[in-house]
Amino acid sequence: DFSTPYNESLVLKHDNSYQADIGNGIVAAEEIFFRATNRSSRQLIYVISAPVSTIRESLADSFKKRGGIIAVTEMGKLSTLPNLASPGYHSFGFNNISTDLQTLCDVNCFCPAHPTEFAFSDNERNTPNRGCYSSPTISTTYEVAKEECAAYGYIMTAVHDSEKEFFIQQVVSTQGAKLPAWIGYEWDIYGYHWTDTYHSTYTNWAKGEPNLNKGDCVYTKQTTGFNSA
């Protein structure tokens, strides 16, 4: 908001015209965020800029390091704010409303403090569009693990491709090397199915698996893959 009471965000030029001072605008925005202490959404500064704007990138860098997002829409044809925007949040001209709404959704798509975020590798904004994952430190049965997940509003993880399996094994490895981890893959009279109801053909069975004599549940383990239990 570059109007009163934030007119310090405008700089009077020698020809008596006004130019936006983005640095002062960031300071003014942070003052607003400071007063809104009960907000749980991520802080977003949306800059719509003409080609001529005063920039103090150190202020922007400090804001981004504290977890804030800066989205930039430039109205000129040449980029004059290459380092101001957060990764993936730079554009030229006004987009359609669905694209702008997606920006707001992506800003507020983040995991709570402890779960690990997982995103597609080509996701420049690094939003956790493949979910949030947590690896408890307890060792327990499949059914208890399933109930524990449900108690926190989670589900047992599904593994629909090798990238996801590698990610899950990396999350689990923070608790110890090559530990087994239950996954949401179960056998019933109709065959194996994923507990997230997604119909995926991906499997990575260890040698000699699946083996229903061991059990109807499945865990994954680094170096071996899927195992019955």
Side-chain angles (χ1 to χ4, degrees), residues 37-123:
T37 55
N38 61 335
R39 292 172 61 93
S40 60
S41 56
R42 180 173 283 170
Q43 295 175 352
L44 166 68
I45 296 175
Y46 208 143
V47 178
I48 301 173
S49 175
V52 285
S53 296
T54 302
I55 309 166
R56 282 183 286 169
E57 291 182 355
S58 60
L59 291 171
D61 291 341
S62 296
F63 175 73
K64 289 184 284 188
K65 285 179 180 178
R66 292 193 295 273
I69 297 292
I70 297 180
V72 176
T73 296
E74 294 198 65
M75 303 311 296
K77 294 183 179 180
L78 296 177
S79 177
T80 60
L81 304 174
N83 300 317
L84 181 63
S86 300
Y89 287 95
H90 179 272
S91 62
F92 289 99
F94 286 111
N95 299 307
N96 60 54
I97 188 63
S98 62
T99 301
D100 294 333
L101 289 175
Q102 186 62 53
T103 294
L104 298 178
C105 289
D106 287 348
V107 166
N108 285 293
C109 180
F110 58 95
C111 296
H114 299 295
T116 304
E117 299 180 349
F118 184 41
F120 286 106
S121 56
D122 61 351
N123 178 7

Coordinates of all heavy atoms in Angstrom, one line a residue, residues 37-123:
T37 N -0.3 -10.5 14.5 CA 0.4 -11.6 15.2 C -0.4 -12.9 15.2 O 0.1 -14.0 15.4 CB 0.7 -11.2 16.6 OG1 -0.5 -10.9 17.3 CG2 1.7 -10.1 16.6
N38 N -1.8 -12.8 15.0 CA -2.6 -14.0 15.1 C -2.8 -14.7 13.7 O -3.5 -15.7 13.6 CB -4.0 -13.7 15.6 CG -4.7 -12.7 14.7 OD1 -4.1 -11.9 14.0 ND2 -6.0 -12.7 14.8
R39 N -2.1 -14.3 12.7 CA -2.2 -14.9 11.3 C -1.3 -16.1 11.2 O -0.1 -16.0 11.7 CB -1.9 -13.9 10.2 CG -2.9 -12.7 10.1 CD -2.3 -11.7 9.1 NE -2.1 -12.3 7.8 CZ -3.1 -12.2 6.9 NH1 -4.2 -11.7 7.1 NH2 -2.8 -12.8 5.7
S40 N -1.8 -17.2 10.7 CA -1.0 -18.4 10.5 C -0.5 -18.6 9.1 O 0.3 -19.5 8.8 CB -1.8 -19.6 10.9 OG -3.0 -19.7 10.1
S41 N -1.0 -17.7 8.1 CA -0.6 -17.9 6.7 C 0.8 -17.3 6.5 O 1.3 -16.5 7.3 CB -1.6 -17.2 5.8 OG -1.7 -15.8 6.2
R42 N 1.4 -17.7 5.5 CA 2.8 -17.3 5.2 C 2.7 -15.8 4.7 O 1.8 -15.4 4.0 CB 3.4 -18.1 4.1 CG 4.8 -17.7 3.7 CD 5.4 -18.7 2.7 NE 5.9 -19.9 3.4 CZ 6.3 -21.0 2.8 NH1 6.2 -21.1 1.4 NH2 6.7 -22.1 3.4
Q43 N 3.7 -15.1 5.0 CA 3.8 -13.6 4.7 C 4.1 -13.5 3.2 O 5.1 -14.1 2.7 CB 4.8 -12.9 5.5 CG 4.4 -12.9 7.0 CD 5.4 -12.3 7.9 OE1 6.5 -12.0 7.4 NE2 5.1 -12.1 9.2
L44 N 3.3 -12.7 2.5 CA 3.5 -12.5 1.0 C 3.5 -11.0 0.7 O 2.6 -10.2 1.2 CB 2.4 -13.1 0.2 CG 2.2 -12.7 -1.2 CD1 3.5 -13.2 -2.0 CD2 0.9 -13.2 -1.8
I45 N 4.5 -10.5 0.0 CA 4.5 -9.2 -0.5 C 4.4 -9.3 -2.0 O 5.2 -10.0 -2.7 CB 5.8 -8.4 -0.2 CG1 5.9 -8.2 1.4 CG2 5.9 -7.1 -0.9 CD1 7.2 -7.6 1.8
Y46 N 3.4 -8.7 -2.6 CA 3.1 -8.8 -4.0 C 3.5 -7.4 -4.7 O 2.9 -6.4 -4.4 CB 1.7 -9.1 -4.3 CG 1.4 -9.9 -5.6 CD1 0.5 -10.9 -5.7 CD2 2.2 -9.6 -6.8 CE1 0.3 -11.6 -6.9 CE2 2.0 -10.2 -7.9 CZ 1.0 -11.2 -8.0 OH 0.8 -11.9 -9.2
V47 N 4.5 -7.4 -5.5 CA 5.0 -6.2 -6.1 C 4.6 -6.1 -7.6 O 4.9 -7.0 -8.3 CB 6.6 -6.1 -6.0 CG1 7.0 -4.8 -6.7 CG2 7.0 -6.1 -4.6
I48 N 3.8 -5.1 -7.9 CA 3.5 -4.8 -9.3 C 4.2 -3.6 -9.7 O 3.9 -2.5 -9.1 CB 1.9 -4.7 -9.5 CG1 1.2 -5.9 -9.0 CG2 1.6 -4.4 -10.9 CD1 -0.3 -5.8 -9.0
S49 N 5.2 -3.7 -10.6 CA 6.1 -2.6 -10.8 C 6.3 -2.2 -12.2 O 6.2 -3.0 -13.1 CB 7.5 -3.1 -10.3 OG 8.5 -2.1 -10.5
A50 N 6.4 -0.9 -12.4 CA 6.8 -0.3 -13.6 C 8.3 -0.5 -13.8 O 9.0 -0.8 -12.8 CB 6.5 1.2 -13.7
P51 N 8.9 -0.3 -14.9 CA 10.3 -0.5 -15.1 C 11.2 0.3 -14.3 O 12.4 0.0 -14.1 CB 10.6 -0.2 -16.6 CG 9.2 -0.4 -17.2 CD 8.2 0.0 -16.2
V52 N 10.7 1.5 -13.8 CA 11.6 2.3 -12.9 C 11.1 2.3 -11.5 O 10.0 2.8 -11.2 CB 11.6 3.8 -13.5 CG1 12.4 3.9 -14.7 CG2 10.2 4.3 -13.8
S53 N 11.8 1.6 -10.6 CA 11.5 1.6 -9.2 C 12.8 1.5 -8.4 O 13.8 0.9 -8.9 CB 10.7 0.3 -8.9 OG 9.4 0.4 -9.6
T54 N 12.8 2.2 -7.3 CA 13.9 2.2 -6.4 C 14.0 0.9 -5.6 O 13.0 0.4 -5.1 CB 13.9 3.4 -5.4 OG1 13.8 4.6 -6.2 CG2 15.1 3.4 -4.6
I55 N 15.1 0.2 -5.6 CA 15.2 -1.2 -5.0 C 16.3 -1.2 -4.0 O 17.4 -0.7 -4.2 CB 15.5 -2.2 -6.1 CG1 14.6 -2.1 -7.3 CG2 15.5 -3.6 -5.5 CD1 15.0 -2.9 -8.5
R56 N 16.0 -1.8 -2.8 CA 17.1 -2.1 -1.9 C 17.0 -3.6 -1.6 O 16.1 -4.1 -0.8 CB 16.9 -1.3 -0.6 CG 17.3 0.2 -0.7 CD 17.2 0.9 0.6 NE 15.8 1.2 0.9 CZ 15.4 1.7 2.1 NH1 16.2 1.8 3.1 NH2 14.1 2.0 2.2
E57 N 17.7 -4.4 -2.3 CA 17.6 -5.8 -2.3 C 17.9 -6.4 -1.0 O 17.5 -7.5 -0.6 CB 18.5 -6.4 -3.4 CG 17.9 -6.1 -4.8 CD 18.8 -6.8 -5.9 OE1 19.8 -7.4 -5.6 OE2 18.4 -6.7 -7.1
S58 N 18.8 -5.7 -0.2 CA 19.1 -6.3 1.1 C 17.9 -6.4 2.0 O 17.7 -7.4 2.8 CB 20.1 -5.4 1.8 OG 19.6 -4.1 2.0
L59 N 16.9 -5.5 1.9 CA 15.7 -5.6 2.7 C 14.9 -6.8 2.2 O 14.3 -7.5 3.0 CB 14.9 -4.3 2.6 CG 15.5 -3.1 3.2 CD1 14.7 -1.8 2.8 CD2 15.5 -3.2 4.7
A60 N 14.8 -7.0 0.9 CA 14.1 -8.1 0.3 C 14.7 -9.4 0.8 O 14.0 -10.4 1.1 CB 14.0 -8.0 -1.2
D61 N 16.0 -9.5 0.7 CA 16.7 -10.7 1.1 C 16.5 -11.1 2.6 O 16.2 -12.3 2.9 CB 18.2 -10.6 0.9 CG 18.6 -10.5 -0.6 OD1 17.7 -10.9 -1.4 OD2 19.7 -10.0 -0.9
S62 N 16.5 -10.1 3.4 CA 16.2 -10.3 4.8 C 14.8 -10.9 5.0 O 14.6 -11.8 5.8 CB 16.4 -9.1 5.7 OG 17.7 -8.6 5.6
F63 N 13.8 -10.3 4.3 CA 12.4 -10.8 4.4 C 12.3 -12.2 4.0 O 11.7 -13.0 4.6 CB 11.5 -9.8 3.6 CG 10.1 -10.3 3.5 CD1 9.3 -10.1 4.6 CD2 9.6 -10.8 2.4 CE1 7.9 -10.5 4.6 CE2 8.3 -11.2 2.3 CZ 7.4 -11.1 3.4
K64 N 12.9 -12.5 2.8 CA 12.9 -13.9 2.3 C 13.6 -14.9 3.2 O 13.1 -16.1 3.4 CB 13.4 -13.9 0.9 CG 12.5 -13.2 -0.1 CD 13.0 -13.3 -1.6 CE 14.2 -12.4 -1.8 NZ 14.6 -12.4 -3.2
K65 N 14.7 -14.5 3.8 CA 15.4 -15.4 4.7 C 14.5 -15.8 5.9 O 14.7 -16.8 6.6 CB 16.7 -14.8 5.1 CG 17.8 -14.8 4.1 CD 19.1 -14.2 4.5 CE 20.1 -14.2 3.4 NZ 21.4 -13.5 3.8
R66 N 13.6 -14.9 6.3 CA 12.7 -15.2 7.5 C 11.5 -15.9 7.1 O 10.6 -16.1 7.8 CB 12.3 -13.8 8.1 CG 13.5 -13.1 8.8 CD 13.0 -12.0 9.7 NE 12.4 -10.9 8.9 CZ 13.0 -9.9 8.4 NH1 14.3 -9.8 8.6 NH2 12.4 -9.0 7.7
G67 N 11.5 -16.4 5.8 CA 10.4 -17.3 5.4 C 9.3 -16.6 4.5 O 8.3 -17.2 4.1
G68 N 9.5 -15.3 4.3 CA 8.5 -14.5 3.5 C 8.7 -14.8 2.0 O 9.7 -15.2 1.6
I69 N 7.6 -14.6 1.3 CA 7.6 -14.7 -0.2 C 7.4 -13.4 -0.8 O 6.5 -12.6 -0.4 CB 6.5 -15.7 -0.6 CG1 6.8 -17.1 -0.1 CG2 6.4 -15.8 -2.2 CD1 8.0 -17.8 -0.6
I70 N 8.2 -13.1 -1.9 CA 8.0 -11.8 -2.6 C 7.6 -12.3 -4.1 O 8.4 -12.9 -4.8 CB 9.2 -10.9 -2.7 CG1 9.5 -10.5 -1.2 CG2 9.0 -9.7 -3.6 CD1 10.7 -9.5 -1.2
A71 N 6.4 -11.9 -4.5 CA 6.0 -12.2 -5.9 C 6.0 -10.8 -6.6 O 5.7 -9.8 -6.1 CB 4.5 -12.7 -5.9
V72 N 6.6 -10.9 -7.9 CA 6.8 -9.7 -8.7 C 6.1 -9.8 -10.0 O 6.3 -10.8 -10.7 CB 8.3 -9.4 -8.9 CG1 8.5 -8.2 -9.8 CG2 9.0 -9.2 -7.5
T73 N 5.3 -8.9 -10.4 CA 4.8 -8.8 -11.7 C 5.3 -7.5 -12.3 O 5.0 -6.4 -11.8 CB 3.2 -8.8 -11.7 OG1 2.7 -10.0 -11.2 CG2 2.7 -8.5 -13.1
E74 N 6.1 -7.6 -13.4 CA 6.6 -6.4 -14.0 C 5.8 -6.0 -15.2 O 5.4 -6.8 -16.0 CB 8.1 -6.6 -14.4 CG 9.0 -6.9 -13.2 CD 10.5 -6.7 -13.6 OE1 10.9 -5.6 -14.0 OE2 11.2 -7.7 -13.6
M75 N 5.5 -4.7 -15.3 CA 4.7 -4.2 -16.4 C 5.5 -3.9 -17.7 O 4.9 -3.6 -18.7 CB 3.9 -3.0 -15.9 CG 3.0 -3.3 -14.7 SD 2.1 -4.8 -14.8 CE 1.0 -4.4 -16.2
G76 N 6.8 -3.8 -17.5 CA 7.6 -3.5 -18.7 C 8.0 -4.8 -19.4 O 7.7 -5.9 -19.0
K77 N 8.7 -4.7 -20.6 CA 9.0 -5.9 -21.3 C 10.4 -6.4 -20.9 O 10.7 -7.6 -21.3 CB 9.0 -5.5 -22.8 CG 7.7 -5.2 -23.4 CD 7.7 -4.9 -24.9 CE 6.3 -4.6 -25.4 NZ 6.4 -4.3 -26.9
L78 N 11.2 -5.6 -20.3 CA 12.5 -6.0 -19.8 C 12.5 -6.2 -18.3 O 11.9 -5.4 -17.6 CB 13.6 -5.1 -20.2 CG 13.8 -4.9 -21.7 CD1 14.8 -3.8 -22.0 CD2 14.2 -6.2 -22.4
S79 N 13.2 -7.2 -17.8 CA 13.2 -7.4 -16.4 C 14.2 -6.5 -15.7 O 15.4 -6.5 -16.0 CB 13.6 -8.9 -16.1 OG 13.7 -9.1 -14.7
T80 N 13.7 -5.7 -14.8 CA 14.6 -4.8 -14.0 C 14.6 -5.2 -12.5 O 15.3 -4.6 -11.7 CB 14.0 -3.3 -14.0 OG1 12.7 -3.3 -13.5 CG2 14.0 -2.8 -15.5
L81 N 13.9 -6.3 -12.2 CA 13.9 -6.8 -10.8 C 14.3 -8.3 -10.8 O 13.5 -9.1 -10.3 CB 12.5 -6.6 -10.2 CG 12.0 -5.1 -10.2 CD1 10.6 -5.1 -9.7 CD2 12.9 -4.2 -9.4
P82 N 15.4 -8.6 -11.3 CA 15.8 -10.1 -11.5 C 16.0 -10.8 -10.2 O 15.8 -12.0 -10.1 CB 17.0 -10.1 -12.3 CG 17.7 -8.7 -12.0 CD 16.5 -7.8 -11.9
N83 N 16.4 -10.1 -9.1 CA 16.7 -10.8 -7.9 C 15.7 -10.5 -6.8 O 15.9 -10.9 -5.6 CB 18.1 -10.3 -7.4 CG 19.2 -10.7 -8.4 OD1 19.2 -11.8 -9.0 ND2 20.1 -9.7 -8.7
L84 N 14.7 -9.7 -7.1 CA 13.7 -9.3 -6.0 C 12.8 -10.5 -5.7 O 12.5 -10.8 -4.6 CB 13.0 -8.1 -6.4 CG 11.9 -7.6 -5.4 CD1 12.6 -7.1 -4.1 CD2 11.1 -6.4 -6.0
A85 N 12.2 -11.1 -6.7 CA 11.2 -12.2 -6.5 C 11.8 -13.4 -6.0 O 12.9 -13.8 -6.2 CB 10.5 -12.5 -7.9
S86 N 11.0 -14.1 -5.2 CA 11.3 -15.5 -4.7 C 11.3 -16.4 -5.9 O 10.6 -16.2 -6.9 CB 10.3 -15.9 -3.7 OG 10.3 -15.1 -2.5
P87 N 12.0 -17.5 -5.9 CA 12.1 -18.4 -7.0 C 10.7 -18.9 -7.5 O 9.9 -19.4 -6.7 CB 12.9 -19.6 -6.5 CG 13.8 -19.0 -5.4 CD 12.9 -18.0 -4.8
G88 N 10.4 -18.7 -8.8 CA 9.1 -19.1 -9.3 C 8.0 -18.1 -9.2 O 6.9 -18.3 -9.7
Y89 N 8.3 -16.9 -8.6 CA 7.3 -15.9 -8.4 C 7.5 -14.7 -9.2 O 7.1 -13.6 -8.7 CB 7.1 -15.6 -6.9 CG 6.5 -16.8 -6.1 CD1 7.3 -17.7 -5.5 CD2 5.1 -16.9 -6.0 CE1 6.8 -18.7 -4.7 CE2 4.6 -17.9 -5.3 CZ 5.4 -18.9 -4.7 OH 4.8 -19.9 -4.0
H90 N 8.1 -14.8 -10.3 CA 8.3 -13.6 -11.2 C 7.5 -13.7 -12.5 O 7.5 -14.8 -13.1 CB 9.8 -13.4 -11.5 CG 10.1 -12.2 -12.4 ND1 10.1 -12.3 -13.8 CD2 10.4 -11.0 -12.1 CE1 10.3 -11.1 -14.3 NE2 10.6 -10.3 -13.3
S91 N 6.8 -12.7 -12.9 CA 6.1 -12.7 -14.2 C 6.0 -11.3 -14.8 O 6.4 -10.3 -14.2 CB 4.6 -13.2 -13.9 OG 4.0 -12.3 -13.0
F92 N 5.6 -11.3 -16.1 CA 5.4 -10.1 -16.8 C 4.0 -9.8 -17.1 O 3.3 -10.8 -17.6 CB 6.2 -10.1 -18.1 CG 7.7 -10.0 -17.9 CD1 8.5 -11.2 -18.0 CD2 8.3 -8.8 -17.7 CE1 9.9 -11.1 -17.8 CE2 9.7 -8.7 -17.5 CZ 10.5 -9.9 -17.6
G93 N 3.5 -8.6 -16.9 CA 2.1 -8.3 -17.2 C 1.1 -9.1 -16.3 O 1.5 -10.0 -15.6
F94 N -0.1 -8.7 -16.3 CA -1.2 -9.3 -15.5 C -1.6 -10.6 -16.1 O -1.8 -10.7 -17.3 CB -2.4 -8.4 -15.3 CG -2.2 -7.3 -14.4 CD1 -2.1 -6.0 -14.9 CD2 -2.0 -7.5 -13.1 CE1 -1.9 -4.9 -14.0 CE2 -1.8 -6.4 -12.2 CZ -1.7 -5.1 -12.7
N95 N -1.6 -11.6 -15.3 CA -2.1 -13.0 -15.8 C -3.6 -13.1 -15.6 O -4.2 -12.2 -15.0 CB -1.3 -14.1 -15.0 CG 0.2 -14.0 -15.1 OD1 0.6 -14.0 -16.3 ND2 0.9 -13.9 -14.1
N96 N -4.1 -14.2 -16.0 CA -5.5 -14.4 -15.8 C -5.7 -14.7 -14.3 O -4.8 -15.1 -13.6 CB -6.1 -15.6 -16.7 CG -5.4 -16.9 -16.4 OD1 -5.3 -17.4 -15.3 ND2 -4.8 -17.5 -17.5
I97 N -7.0 -14.6 -13.9 CA -7.3 -14.7 -12.4 C -6.9 -16.0 -11.8 O -6.5 -16.1 -10.7 CB -8.8 -14.3 -12.2 CG1 -9.1 -14.2 -10.7 CG2 -9.7 -15.4 -12.8 CD1 -8.3 -13.1 -10.0
S98 N -7.1 -17.1 -12.6 CA -6.8 -18.4 -12.1 C -5.3 -18.6 -11.8 O -4.9 -19.2 -10.8 CB -7.2 -19.5 -13.0 OG -6.5 -19.4 -14.3
T99 N -4.4 -17.9 -12.6 CA -3.0 -18.0 -12.4 C -2.6 -17.2 -11.1 O -1.8 -17.6 -10.3 CB -2.2 -17.4 -13.6 OG1 -2.6 -18.2 -14.8 CG2 -0.7 -17.5 -13.4
D100 N -3.2 -16.0 -11.0 CA -2.9 -15.2 -9.8 C -3.4 -15.9 -8.5 O -2.7 -15.8 -7.5 CB -3.6 -13.8 -9.9 CG -3.0 -13.0 -11.1 OD1 -1.8 -13.2 -11.4 OD2 -3.7 -12.2 -11.7
L101 N -4.6 -16.5 -8.6 CA -5.1 -17.3 -7.4 C -4.1 -18.4 -7.1 O -3.9 -18.8 -5.9 CB -6.5 -17.8 -7.7 CG -7.6 -16.7 -7.7 CD1 -8.9 -17.3 -8.0 CD2 -7.7 -16.0 -6.3
Q102 N -3.6 -19.1 -8.1 CA -2.6 -20.2 -7.9 C -1.4 -19.7 -7.1 O -0.8 -20.4 -6.3 CB -2.2 -20.8 -9.2 CG -1.4 -22.1 -9.1 CD -2.1 -23.2 -8.3 OE1 -3.2 -23.5 -8.7 NE2 -1.5 -23.7 -7.3
T103 N -1.0 -18.5 -7.5 CA 0.2 -17.9 -6.7 C -0.2 -17.8 -5.2 O 0.7 -18.2 -4.4 CB 0.5 -16.5 -7.3 OG1 0.9 -16.6 -8.6 CG2 1.5 -15.8 -6.4
L104 N -1.4 -17.3 -4.9 CA -1.7 -17.2 -3.5 C -1.8 -18.6 -2.8 O -1.4 -18.7 -1.7 CB -3.1 -16.5 -3.4 CG -3.1 -15.0 -3.9 CD1 -4.5 -14.4 -3.8 CD2 -2.1 -14.2 -3.2
C105 N -2.3 -19.5 -3.6 CA -2.4 -20.9 -3.0 C -1.0 -21.5 -2.8 O -0.8 -22.1 -1.8 CB -3.2 -21.8 -4.0 SG -5.0 -21.5 -4.1
D106 N -0.1 -21.3 -3.7 CA 1.2 -21.9 -3.6 C 2.0 -21.2 -2.5 O 2.7 -21.9 -1.8 CB 2.0 -21.7 -4.9 CG 1.5 -22.6 -6.0 OD1 0.7 -23.5 -5.7 OD2 1.9 -22.3 -7.2
V107 N 1.8 -19.9 -2.2 CA 2.4 -19.3 -1.1 C 2.0 -19.9 0.2 O 2.9 -20.1 1.1 CB 2.1 -17.8 -1.1 CG1 2.5 -17.1 0.2 CG2 2.8 -17.0 -2.3
N108 N 0.8 -20.3 0.3 CA 0.3 -20.8 1.6 C 0.2 -22.4 1.6 O -0.5 -23.0 2.4 CB -1.1 -20.3 1.9 CG -1.0 -18.8 2.4 OD1 -0.5 -18.6 3.5 ND2 -1.4 -17.9 1.6
C109 N 1.0 -23.0 0.6 CA 1.1 -24.4 0.6 C 2.4 -24.8 1.2 O 3.5 -24.7 0.5 CB 1.0 -24.9 -0.8 SG 1.1 -26.7 -1.0
F110 N 2.4 -25.1 2.5 CA 3.7 -25.4 3.2 C 3.4 -26.4 4.3 O 2.2 -26.4 4.8 CB 4.4 -24.2 3.7 CG 3.7 -23.3 4.6 CD1 3.8 -23.4 6.0 CD2 2.8 -22.3 4.1 CE1 3.1 -22.6 6.9 CE2 2.1 -21.5 5.0 CZ 2.2 -21.6 6.3
C111 N 4.4 -27.1 4.8 CA 4.2 -28.1 5.8 C 4.3 -27.4 7.2 O 5.0 -26.4 7.3 CB 5.2 -29.2 5.7 SG 5.0 -30.2 4.2
P112 N 3.7 -28.0 8.2 CA 4.0 -27.6 9.6 C 5.5 -27.7 9.9 O 6.3 -28.1 9.1 CB 3.1 -28.5 10.4 CG 2.1 -29.1 9.5 CD 2.7 -29.1 8.2
A113 N 5.8 -27.3 11.1 CA 7.2 -27.2 11.5 C 8.0 -28.4 11.3 O 9.2 -28.4 10.9 CB 7.3 -26.7 13.0
H114 N 7.5 -29.6 11.6 CA 8.3 -30.8 11.7 C 8.3 -31.7 10.5 O 9.3 -32.2 10.1 CB 8.0 -31.6 13.0 CG 8.3 -30.8 14.2 ND1 9.6 -30.4 14.6 CD2 7.5 -30.4 15.2 CE1 9.5 -29.8 15.7 NE2 8.2 -29.7 16.1
P115 N 7.1 -32.0 9.9 CA 7.1 -32.9 8.7 C 8.0 -32.3 7.6 O 8.2 -31.2 7.4 CB 5.6 -32.9 8.3 CG 4.9 -32.6 9.5 CD 5.7 -31.6 10.3
T116 N 8.5 -33.3 6.8 CA 9.4 -33.0 5.7 C 8.6 -32.8 4.4 O 7.7 -33.6 4.1 CB 10.4 -34.1 5.5 OG1 11.1 -34.4 6.7 CG2 11.4 -33.8 4.3
E117 N 8.9 -31.7 3.7 CA 8.2 -31.4 2.4 C 8.7 -32.2 1.3 O 9.9 -32.5 1.2 CB 8.3 -29.9 2.1 CG 7.7 -29.0 3.2 CD 7.8 -27.5 2.9 OE1 8.6 -27.2 1.9 OE2 7.2 -26.7 3.6
F118 N 7.8 -32.6 0.4 CA 8.2 -33.3 -0.8 C 7.5 -32.7 -2.0 O 6.3 -32.5 -2.0 CB 7.8 -34.8 -0.7 CG 8.2 -35.7 -1.9 CD1 9.5 -35.5 -2.4 CD2 7.4 -36.6 -2.4 CE1 9.9 -36.3 -3.5 CE2 7.8 -37.4 -3.4 CZ 9.0 -37.3 -4.0
A119 N 8.3 -32.4 -3.1 CA 7.8 -31.7 -4.2 C 8.3 -32.4 -5.5 O 9.3 -33.1 -5.5 CB 8.2 -30.2 -4.2
F120 N 7.6 -32.1 -6.6 CA 8.1 -32.6 -7.9 C 9.4 -31.9 -8.2 O 9.6 -30.8 -7.8 CB 7.1 -32.3 -9.0 CG 5.9 -33.2 -9.0 CD1 4.7 -32.8 -8.6 CD2 6.0 -34.5 -9.4 CE1 3.5 -33.6 -8.6 CE2 4.9 -35.4 -9.4 CZ 3.7 -34.9 -9.0
S121 N 10.3 -32.6 -8.8 CA 11.7 -32.1 -9.0 C 11.7 -30.8 -9.9 O 12.6 -30.0 -9.8 CB 12.6 -33.1 -9.7 OG 12.0 -33.6 -10.9
D122 N 10.6 -30.6 -10.8 CA 10.6 -29.5 -11.6 C 9.8 -28.3 -11.0 O 9.4 -27.4 -11.7 CB 10.0 -29.8 -13.0 CG 8.6 -30.4 -12.9 OD1 8.1 -30.7 -11.8 OD2 8.0 -30.6 -14.0
N123 N 9.5 -28.4 -9.7 CA 8.6 -27.4 -9.1 C 9.5 -26.3 -8.6 O 10.1 -26.3 -7.5 CB 7.9 -28.1 -7.9 CG 7.1 -27.1 -7.1 OD1 6.9 -25.9 -7.5 ND2 6.5 -27.5 -6.0

